Amino acid sequence: MGHRYEEFDSIRGIASLSVLFHHCLIVVPIFYAAHLHQQNSDMLVNVFSNSPLHVVWAGHEAVILFFVLSGFVLSLPILNGKPLQYKSYLIKRFCRIYLPYIFVMVLSYTFYMIYKNFNLIDNFSESTSIWFNTMWSENPDFKSIISIILMLGYGTHNLNTVTWSLIHEMRISIFFPFIILFVNKKNPLKFFMIAISVLFSIWLLFMFVSNLGISEVVSYLFYSIGYTFYYSIFFVFGGMLARYRSKLSNVFYKAKIEMKIFAILLFIFGYTIEWNTTFGSYLKYSEFLNLKLLVNFLIDFTIAFSVCLLFIIVLGSGLFKSILKRQELLYLGKISFSLYLIHPISLMMLIHLFKETLNLEFLILISALLSIIFAHFLYKYIEIPTITLGKKLSKSSEKKKVA
């Protein structure tokens, strides 16, 4: 009933590391250009970008993995027959996501003000990319502060670029348990098709409204909420995988070695589909909105499918399980959320402080190493206490309900 898939913790840790690598690389203008599929003459950058090697710094792909994994993990208790204590569940999710989110936002703002007062921030450096230069680029106004508190999504890149995904994670957590109740019915595959179609249609509708130009606020809210429905699709992927995990992993376990190798290669190719084909390269940023939305969905759908395939491979392979249960990987999994949250702040702190005196590549390397150290302390002193608080508050809520 309470089985924990520790190997998936390690996968989460490796994925967080790939997000760290992704952000470290796109600080450099030439890698940011490669990220946007812009042509450049550097052969090494092109090979490292437009091939399956991109798996090393597949940041966007890792976020899709996080969403699928969240859907998988959140579905397990319900699929295993545990009664849903909704209030208790929401309290734990709030403490798990919102409190660390607010902490890193306040932390980032604090360092921004310190660096600003000492004139350490240069937002016009040619040595760093536009992506990096637009972080800590302005003092958050009242609208941004309200947006951050209410998790509306506006102004996240300025203070902490990764927190956009937490906003969708928190929103989806509110209604996702009710979706999973349908996954556990007699015909879950039918529900899967209906759920994907409905969520996809709502997303397209919200994207259409957001582009009508009604007002900046209305456009942004429809855009942001629309993408919450969009990313819900990948939570549903995780829920379906949880529903059929035993059957699918057993199929892989019994498969011939040739099929297992093919499945692994298929995962790598599908996970990096955007970088293996001109399909992703030339159409993802199309000027035609409908085409751009469709291509992005097809890419993300392929990534989500590949993530599910990865989970099946791991569940059906004793070798991969043993590798992923190594203590160092399990610990990386434990601090993965903290690593995800803290590394943009580490990058900004170190680069702004020393970029006039030290080599940029050296600063990025040191920042990556420091991010892991910072993540250890964030996990120990913020993440664990907030998880513990969530458990205490949820138990207190359940006791009051019984009384």
Side-chain angles (χ1 to χ4, degrees), residues 21-37:
F21 293 156
H22 171 76
H23 286 150
C24 285
L25 286 174
I26 66 173
V27 169
V28 183
I30 192 169
F31 274 101
Y32 184 60
H35 168 67
L36 298 177
H37 296 292

Side-chain angles (χ1 to χ4, degrees), residues 69-82:
L69 185 54
S70 290
F72 180 91
V73 172
L74 293 179
S75 301
L76 287 176
I78 299 173
L79 295 175
N80 288 336
K82 184 178 179 180

Side-chain angles (χ1 to χ4, degrees), residues 16-263:
S16 289
L17 207 58
S18 73
V19 175
L20 167 64
F21 293 156
H22 171 76
H23 286 150
C24 285
L25 286 174
I26 66 173
V27 169
V28 183
I30 192 169
F31 274 101
Y32 184 60
H35 168 67
L36 298 177
H37 296 292
Q38 296 172 358
Q39 291 184 344
N40 67 79
S41 57
D42 192 307
M43 181 63 68
L44 182 62
V45 171
N46 285 329
V47 170
F48 196 48
S49 302
N50 303 312
S51 75
L53 290 176
H54 198 99
V55 71
V56 176
W57 60 295
H60 173 74
E61 292 80 356
V63 175
I64 298 298
L65 185 150
F66 295 148
F67 288 145
V68 174
L69 185 54
S70 290
F72 180 91
V73 172
L74 293 179
S75 301
L76 287 176
I78 299 173
L79 295 175
N80 288 336
K82 184 178 179 180
L84 174 63
Q85 303 289 341
Y86 186 64
K87 184 178 179 181
S88 174
Y89 159 82
L90 276 186
I91 290 171
K92 286 190 282 188
R93 293 303 288 171
F94 177 85
C95 292
R96 183 75 179 93
I97 299 172
Y98 186 80
L99 295 184
Y101 156 83
I102 282 294
F103 175 81
V104 295
M105 284 305 205
V106 172
L107 182 68
S108 182
Y109 179 72
T110 301
F111 278 109
Y112 164 73
M113 292 304 297
I114 294 171
Y115 275 52
K116 178 185 176 185
N117 290 335
F118 283 94
N119 296 316
L120 295 172
I121 301 173
D122 175 14
N123 299 119
F124 302 98
S125 174
E126 294 183 358
S127 64
T128 49
S129 66
I130 295 173
W131 173 83
F132 180 83
N133 292 338
T134 49
M135 295 190 289
W136 282 0
S137 60
E138 56 186 8
N139 192 26
D141 55 15
F142 180 75
K143 182 170 66 173
S144 298
I145 293 170
I146 294 299
S147 171
I148 288 167
I149 293 171
L150 298 180
M151 296 190 94
L152 300 180
Y154 180 80
T156 54
H157 177 70
N158 182 43
L159 287 183
N160 193 327
T161 189
V162 302
T163 54
W164 68 268
S165 67
L166 272 66
I167 291 164
H168 295 297
E169 183 97 22
M170 189 71 246
R171 290 175 185 170
I172 297 167
S173 294
I174 294 171
F175 60 83
F176 186 68
F178 302 106
I179 294 179
I180 291 306
L181 291 174
F182 290 97
V183 173
N184 214 14
K185 299 297 181 182
K186 289 184 178 180
N187 198 341
L189 287 176
K190 180 180 179 181
F191 162 77
F192 175 74
M193 298 304 298
I194 294 172
I196 298 298
S197 300
V198 170
L199 292 169
F200 179 79
S201 300
I202 294 173
W203 169 61
L204 286 182
L205 176 63
F206 273 63
M207 290 302 99
F208 174 76
V209 174
S210 72
N211 280 275
L212 290 178
I214 299 172
S215 74
E216 182 182 352
V217 174
V218 171
S219 294
Y220 178 78
L221 285 176
F222 270 88
Y223 177 87
S224 180
I225 296 171
Y227 265 97
T228 296
F229 286 103
Y230 176 80
Y231 291 120
S232 299
I233 292 172
F234 309 115
F235 274 69
V236 175
F237 265 86
M240 287 299 296
L241 178 63
R243 176 70 168 77
Y244 291 104
R245 63 191 184 280
S246 297
K247 292 181 179 179
L248 292 172
S249 61
N250 194 46
V251 169
F252 180 82
Y253 177 77
K254 293 180 178 179
K256 294 181 179 180
I257 186 64
E258 295 84 1
M259 289 303 297
K260 290 181 177 180
I261 293 173
F262 174 75

